[in-house]
Amino acid sequence: MSRKPWDLAFTADPEEVAALRRIMRHHLGLWGLHDVTDGAQLCVSELVSNVITHVGAGTPATLVVSMNGTCLRIEVHDPDTRALPTLVEATSDAEGGRGMALVDAVADRWGVLLCPDRKVTWCELETRLTSPSGHVDDAGVTRAEALLTLYVAAKLSCEVSSSRLIRATAEEAMVAAMTDFLRWLRAHGGDVDEVLDRAQTQFDMEDEWGGL
């Protein structure tokens, strides 16, 4: 799966935070990274809130999301190179800095890059990817890929198995197989509902015409 970096310019206002969280969830769903969605949304909220609090509401900023190996990298760019994020101890009574404490607790690492015209506050979250372009290591996904291989081989060889399963056992096997296929599809960024609709349409057409 190709996970190309993307960026989004926005205005650092409290009203924008919820929209940015939804956009993050949508993109991570397409990337099959459901396991880090909650953490990523929290990090986006806190990084943007940090800009609002310490740089000012209405600041033009940019959200940049990419992969660094098998880690998800989130960056928030803003034009103020003086207001640096600080980490405050959880027991401190100070009001500032708690957002970065949350980022520090959720992310595997974070930091700040200073450029001539902007500041980049970033964090990275470990994923369960087996490779940068692979899918999340999941037993259901692995089983689905094995089933896909067997299915394609069976279609090509046109061999008919002589074994017969009782109806209840066959139905259980089919439900388990379809569940794994849907998990494989979601892990690769597919739209489960759309594919189910297409499959139902194709099934109905073939049923009507007696098979194609």
Side-chain angles (χ1 to χ4, degrees):
M1 175 189 295
S2 176
R3 298 181 175 92
K4 296 181 180 179
W6 58 273
D7 60 82
L8 177 66
F10 66 95
T11 301
D13 287 315
E15 296 79 11
E16 292 291 321
V17 175
L20 292 171
R21 287 172 59 90
R22 288 194 297 270
I23 292 170
M24 175 63 75
R25 176 172 290 277
H26 172 72
H27 277 275
L28 294 187
L30 294 177
W31 282 3
L33 299 182
H34 307 278
D35 57 313
V36 295
T37 297
D38 290 342
Q41 286 185 302
L42 186 147
C43 288
V44 167
S45 295
E46 298 307 327
L47 292 178
V48 174
S49 295
N50 188 74
V51 175
I52 296 171
T53 301
H54 298 288
V55 182
T59 298
T62 304
L63 172 67
V64 180
V65 180
S66 62
M67 297 300 300
N68 181 18
T70 57
C71 292
L72 176 70
R73 183 180 177 90
I74 302 170
E75 301 177 359
V76 171
H77 298 219
D78 72 73
D80 194 331
T81 59
R82 297 169 299 173
L84 301 181
T86 57
L87 183 62
V88 176
E89 294 292 338
T91 56
S92 174
D93 293 329
E95 295 182 0
R98 293 194 179 277
M100 296 314 299
L102 288 173
V103 172
D104 185 68
V106 171
D108 293 276
R109 47 193 165 271
W110 68 275
V112 182
L113 296 174
L114 293 179
C115 304
D117 60 342
R118 69 188 186 282
K119 172 174 80 262
V120 179
T121 309
W122 61 270
C123 66
E124 293 184 350
L125 290 81
E126 295 280 358
T127 70
R128 291 190 290 132
L129 290 174
T130 56
S131 66
S133 59
H135 58 70
V136 173
D137 188 11
D138 182 278
V141 176
T142 301
R143 290 195 301 269
E145 291 185 333
L147 286 169
L148 281 170
T149 301
L150 291 172
Y151 180 74
V152 171
K155 291 277 285 185
L156 292 175
S157 64
C158 297
E159 294 178 356
V160 179
S161 173
S162 59
S163 63
R164 294 183 178 275
L165 296 174
I166 62 174
R167 179 171 178 175
T169 303
E171 287 183 352
E172 289 180 4
M174 286 182 226
V175 170
M178 286 188 288
T179 300
D180 283 343
F181 275 122
L182 293 176
R183 295 182 68 183
W184 178 92
L185 178 68
R186 188 178 69 176
H188 287 74
D191 187 325
V192 170
D193 290 333
E194 179 187 3
V195 170
L196 284 173
D197 289 340
R198 287 167 53 195
Q200 183 66 55
T201 299
Q202 182 171 330
F203 175 80
D204 290 340
M205 288 178 60
E206 293 186 2
D207 189 51
E208 180 180 357
W209 291 95
L212 298 177

